[in-house]
Amino acid sequence: MNNLNTYFLLDPSVTFLNHGSFGATPRPVFEEYQRWQLELERQPVEFLGRRFNGLMAESRAVLGEYLGTHADNLVYTQNVTVSMNIVARSLGLGAGDEVLASDHEYGAMDRTWRFLAKEHGFTYINQPVSLVSREAFIDSFWSAVTPRTRVIFLSHITSPTAVIFPLDEIIQRARQAGIITVIDGAHVPGQLSLKLDSFGADFYGGNLHKWLCAPKGAGFLYARPEMQNLLKPLVVSWGYESITPGNSTFVDHHEWWGTRDVAAFLSVPAAIKFQKDHDWVNVRSECHKLVRDAQGRICELTGLAPLHARSDDWFAQLAAAQLPIDTDLPALKIRLYDEYRIEIPLIEWQDKKLIRISVQGYNTEADIDRLLFALSKLVSIKS
């Protein structure tokens, strides 16, 4: 794993422990991205006017195989924010309805649901959940379900706290209760194995530019075939009332947005191939060991416990650790970068101060050592 850093374009003077924010693309995948951009520029009319549908279908077929679903159950989007906006704006929620989420959700998604709640009169609820055990999580979340709950919205891997939520039973219960499930999987593709059809969520959005290492602006929306008719196009264009309809109305309505750069979408098969060629199952395992070590060492340094039960099932290549409550996060972030050239997010969540560590195939044990050395110098530890 150690020589994988030669494939990435990251600044070697920076210790990059923030793959979770925007990802990083290996050189072969980035070159494929640029090749598609050049292909578009050579003959834009042919590319967008004649080849677009076929090229996108081929790319979606590869992605569908990777994600365990048919290509026609997927559309490419720029990111999960776009995917979730398509879903949230389509469900016809109104006064008396409730959308139930956890208190670990991504800020942009909380804002999306709150905005629409104000517009349409439904209630958006962030339910506190227990991370003591799988059973405690399920019980604490499900206790907030009421007869008014129409939608359950949850992250698969949370952004602020880097926790893998055990969702399978929640999804099964929701289906039995007639509640729609909408899952934010921004951090999942490339970090966890995902088979969407068997996973069972009604709607699932994922980012491909994060842990799959595709170019920026590559994401997707999955919809179960039985639920696709609920979705309205976020941008109405020629796919609506299509003159030349394809196999899927879902794809027709959501894929064509007019003139835009689709090179990131067409490069996704190259990203999938890159990880397959480099035994990414093993890479992920090695990354998990490094991030587990980093989290444990930070907890030992601060004397503060992890947010979740001490089990590897709660995190993968992304983990969070608590910092002392009196930590000045903006000042610490500046000093970590300016004095130690460490790129890492510091997060204020609920009443806690967190540091979130990402470990990808280009990271090494030396990166973790550098982080711990810097924290030992900069974080005020009270004995």
Side-chain angles (χ1 to χ4, degrees):
M1 186 177 99
N2 289 352
N3 63 359
L4 280 174
N5 57 12
T6 62
Y7 287 99
F8 287 83
L9 302 168
L10 294 164
D11 183 347
S13 73
V14 175
T15 299
F16 197 74
L17 293 167
N18 192 12
H19 189 91
S21 284
F22 304 110
T25 305
R27 189 181 303 275
V29 180
F30 193 75
E31 288 172 350
E32 179 72 352
Y33 170 62
Q34 291 181 311
R35 184 184 73 80
W36 281 118
Q37 289 180 315
L38 287 171
E39 190 88 359
L40 168 61
E41 290 306 316
R42 286 194 179 101
Q43 227 295 26
V45 174
E46 180 180 1
F47 192 102
L48 294 174
R50 303 187 189 103
R51 299 177 61 196
F52 175 85
N53 289 339
L55 291 174
M56 293 289 281
E58 290 171 11
S59 183
R60 281 189 291 102
V62 176
L63 179 62
E65 182 178 3
Y66 178 76
L67 294 176
T69 191
H70 192 277
D72 288 346
N73 297 329
L74 300 167
V75 289
Y76 277 118
T77 64
Q78 287 91 328
N79 51 43
V80 168
T81 300
V82 173
S83 299
M84 296 295 97
N85 267 270
I86 292 171
V87 177
R89 292 168 180 272
S90 297
L91 296 180
L93 300 170
D97 295 330
E98 293 177 353
V99 176
L100 181 60
S102 79
D103 58 343
H104 293 244
E105 303 308 326
Y106 182 54
M109 295 298 91
D110 279 338
R111 286 163 171 79
T112 296
W113 288 108
R114 288 198 298 261
F115 173 84
L116 293 172
K118 288 180 182 177
E119 291 282 302
H120 300 290
F122 63 87
T123 303
Y124 179 60
I125 300 166
N126 291 109
Q127 169 70 3
V129 292
S130 171
L131 304 180
V132 172
S133 68
R134 170 190 171 88
E135 292 74 23
F137 168 82
I138 294 168
D139 290 345
S140 61
F141 181 78
W142 198 261
S143 69
V145 172
T146 76
R148 295 178 298 279
T149 306
R150 283 199 55 202
V151 175
I152 284 174
F153 170 71
L154 285 169
S155 293
H156 196 168
I157 299 178
T158 65
S159 178
T161 52
V163 173
I164 301 172
F165 279 164
L167 296 181
D168 49 349
E169 186 170 336
I170 296 287
I171 290 169
Q172 290 171 15
R173 287 191 189 185
R175 181 78 61 83
Q176 293 167 359
I179 299 170
I180 295 169
T181 49
V182 183
I183 305 302
D184 175 351
H187 287 278
V188 172
Q191 192 175 175
L192 300 178
S193 177
L194 180 62
K195 300 302 177 187
L196 287 167
D197 286 346
S198 58
F199 188 70
D202 293 313
F203 303 105
Y204 193 106
N207 285 333
L208 305 168
H209 62 258
K210 288 183 186 281
W211 298 93
L212 188 61
C213 300
K216 311 298 176 287
F220 71 87
L221 172 61
Y222 162 87
R224 279 202 309 120
E226 298 86 346
M227 307 297 284
Q228 290 172 10
N229 65 304
L230 296 181
L231 297 182
K232 302 172 184 177
L234 192 62
V235 173
V236 177
S237 190
W238 289 94
Y240 185 75
E241 299 177 347
S242 177
I243 300 169
T244 55
N247 297 325
S248 165
T249 302
F250 172 53
V251 174
D252 287 345
H253 282 188
H254 300 281
E255 187 164 79
W256 176 259
W257 282 28
T259 309
R260 61 172 171 163
D261 183 358
V262 297
F265 305 150
L266 300 181
S267 304
V268 167
I272 293 170
K273 182 178 185 301
F274 177 85
Q275 294 198 347
K276 182 179 179 181
D277 289 348
H278 290 87
D279 188 15
W280 220 256
V281 172
N282 182 61
V283 170
R284 289 192 304 212
S285 176
E286 293 299 313
C287 288
H288 176 72
K289 292 175 186 176
L290 274 182
V291 82
R292 179 180 60 197
D293 177 58
Q295 185 193 53
R297 289 170 67 183
I298 295 170
C299 291
E300 185 178 351
L301 176 70
T302 63
L304 299 169
L307 299 172
H308 50 75
R310 291 185 181 275
S311 167
D312 284 5
D313 294 340
W314 290 99
F315 65 99
Q317 294 172 240
L318 188 70
Q322 295 190 68
L323 295 173
I325 196 63
D326 61 351
T327 303
D328 184 336
L329 293 187
L332 177 59
K333 186 172 179 64
I334 289 169
R335 293 193 67 187
L336 280 170
Y337 191 76
D338 289 354
E339 297 177 25
Y340 294 92
R341 299 288 284 165
I342 295 174
E343 185 71 75
I344 193 165
L346 306 177
I347 299 162
E348 190 154 358
W349 174 79
Q350 309 296 4
D351 59 346
K352 295 176 173 60
K353 306 286 181 73
L354 307 178
I355 183 168
R356 194 187 74 181
I357 315 105
S358 297
V359 174
Q360 188 51 291
Y362 47 77
N363 291 121
T364 66
E365 190 173 350
D367 295 333
I368 306 304
D369 291 342
R370 193 170 297 113
L371 172 64
L372 266 293
F373 178 79
L375 290 177
S376 71
K377 299 296 183 183
L378 299 178
V379 174
S380 173
I381 308 298
K382 295 179 180 178
S383 57

